[in-house]
Amino acid sequence: METIEELQDFIANGYKTFIPHVSMDNAIFGYHDHQLKILLSRYKALEGYCLPGGYIKRTETLDQAAKRIVKERTGLDDLYLQQYKTFGDPDRIKWNEIDFEKFSEMAGVKHIKDSWLMDQTISIGYYAITDFSLVTPKSDFMSTYCEWFNINEVPPLLYDHDDMVKEALQALRLQLYYYPIAEKLLPKKFTLTEIHAVYETILDKKLDIRNFPKKLVFLGLIKKLNEKRNIGPHRAPYLYKFDIKKYNKALETGTTLT
C-alpha cells in the first residue's frame, strides 16, 4: 500500500481480496562479509518493530504470497524461501496495546475497531535468505522505515515476533546442515574460505577449516576450478563453484553436511 486511499480501501474491502484472520510474517535473513542480519519494519501506528508481513490473497498459494511479500520489501524475487512454523496462540496480538485512535487518525477511518482486521489471527511463518548488500529495503505507507539489524542486536519486537525470529533462526541453522542453501549467498566463483565463513556465521559456531569444505567437495555439491584468485603475495587460492545439477537435486531431496 502506497497511498492513504489504498489503505482505506484495504480496511473497508480487503476481505474481498485477502483471506481474513490468516496472515504471513517473513523472517528475511541477510548475510554478507561475516555478518548475519534480519530485516525489520517499524510501523507508524504501533510504535515498534515487526517482521515484514501481510495477508494472503484468495488467489495465491502460500509460497506465492511469501514471494510477493519478500519482493515488496527487498525488490528480489528469487530468494530461498521456506515455511517453518504457524503461530496461533489466542493472545498473540495484544489488542489493548494498540492505539486505535492514532491508527484511525492516520488512516482516516473512524470505525477501525469494526473492521474485518480486528479479530484473532493466525500467522504463517516463512524465512528467506539473501545477500543483504544486494538489497535496498523498501518501506510502504504503513511503515516509517524498513532496515537491517544485526542478528545479535534485534530490539524487542511486537506481538510474538521475538518468538518468530528465534524459531526462524533455529530452522535456518538446522536446514543449513541438510540443504545447500548457502549458494544464494556466494558469488558464482568462490574460495573455500568464503563458503566456510558463510556456514560459520549463520551457525554461529566454529567449523574445522580443513575438513568442512572437503565434505562439500566429497558430496559433489561444489567443484574445483582451474582458476585462482590473487589476494596477495604468495596467496592465490583455487576457486570453486556449485554443481547446479547436483545442487538442485540436493535442494529437493536433502543431504547431510554433518
Side-chain angles (χ1 to χ4, degrees):
M1 291 174 285
E2 303 297 334
T3 67
I4 186 68
E5 290 76 18
E6 289 178 349
L7 175 58
Q8 290 173 343
D9 182 66
F10 173 74
I11 293 172
N13 303 303
Y15 65 91
K16 298 177 183 178
T17 302
F18 298 92
I19 302 172
H21 317 317
V22 181
S23 64
M24 180 173 290
D25 291 291
N26 293 343
I28 305 173
F29 294 105
Y31 169 86
H32 185 76
D33 193 22
H34 300 249
Q35 297 179 76
L36 182 64
K37 299 189 177 186
I38 191 166
L39 195 63
L40 300 176
S41 292
R42 183 176 179 87
Y43 291 97
K44 294 178 181 178
L46 300 178
E47 300 298 333
Y49 289 94
C50 292
L51 294 174
Y55 284 85
I56 304 159
K57 294 181 180 180
R58 294 179 181 272
T59 57
E60 290 178 319
T61 65
L62 295 181
D63 284 355
Q64 289 170 341
K67 289 179 181 179
R68 171 177 55 80
I69 292 169
V70 166
K71 186 173 182 179
E72 288 172 352
R73 293 291 165 263
T74 67
L76 305 178
D77 58 6
D78 62 345
L79 306 189
Y80 179 82
L81 276 165
Q82 183 68 42
Q83 183 183 158
Y84 67 95
K85 189 172 181 177
T86 299
F87 298 82
D89 288 355
D91 61 345
R92 58 178 300 269
I93 298 179
K94 307 294 191 295
W95 299 108
N96 61 318
E97 296 178 2
I98 297 177
D99 189 340
F100 286 104
E101 183 175 343
K102 182 176 181 180
F103 188 89
S104 297
E105 181 180 350
M106 183 194 73
V109 177
K110 293 183 178 180
H111 304 293
I112 185 67
K113 287 187 176 181
D114 298 327
S115 167
W116 63 280
L117 299 167
M118 302 297 108
D119 203 346
Q120 181 178 344
T121 301
I122 293 171
S123 180
I124 300 170
Y126 271 74
Y127 77 79
I129 186 81
T130 186
D131 182 336
F132 67 75
S133 70
L134 304 178
V135 176
T136 301
K138 300 178 181 179
S139 58
D140 62 4
F141 182 81
M142 289 291 294
S143 54
T144 53
Y145 44 77
C146 184
E147 61 181 315
W148 293 106
F149 282 79
N150 186 291
I151 195 63
N152 296 318
E153 299 173 358
V154 175
L157 304 180
L158 296 171
Y159 313 136
D160 53 354
H161 287 210
D162 286 317
D163 290 336
M164 289 183 178
V165 172
K166 180 181 177 181
E167 295 277 359
L169 184 58
Q170 182 178 0
L172 168 63
R173 287 171 171 167
L174 180 62
Q175 291 225 327
L176 194 64
Y177 278 115
Y178 297 96
Y179 296 90
I181 58 180
E183 187 268 344
K184 295 292 185 182
L185 309 177
L186 291 161
K188 289 185 178 180
K189 300 177 182 180
F190 50 86
T191 66
L192 292 182
T193 299
E194 287 173 324
I195 194 169
H196 178 262
V198 171
Y199 278 85
E200 274 202 343
T201 301
I202 295 177
L203 294 172
D204 193 27
K205 63 184 295 186
K206 291 293 183 180
L207 299 171
D208 191 329
I209 187 68
R210 297 165 299 177
N211 295 323
F212 178 74
K214 293 179 181 179
K215 182 73 171 180
L216 297 170
V217 176
F218 174 77
L219 292 171
L221 295 176
I222 63 175
K223 55 186 179 182
K224 187 176 182 180
L225 303 176
N226 191 28
E227 299 178 45
K228 293 184 177 182
R229 179 184 296 162
N230 292 317
I231 58 177
H234 311 295
R235 297 183 65 194
Y238 276 100
L239 293 172
Y240 290 74
K241 72 175 184 179
F242 276 91
D243 184 316
I244 297 302
K245 185 176 180 180
K246 291 183 178 179
Y247 167 80
N248 288 333
K249 183 177 180 180
L251 279 183
E252 293 176 2
T253 61
T255 187
T256 179
L257 302 181
T258 56

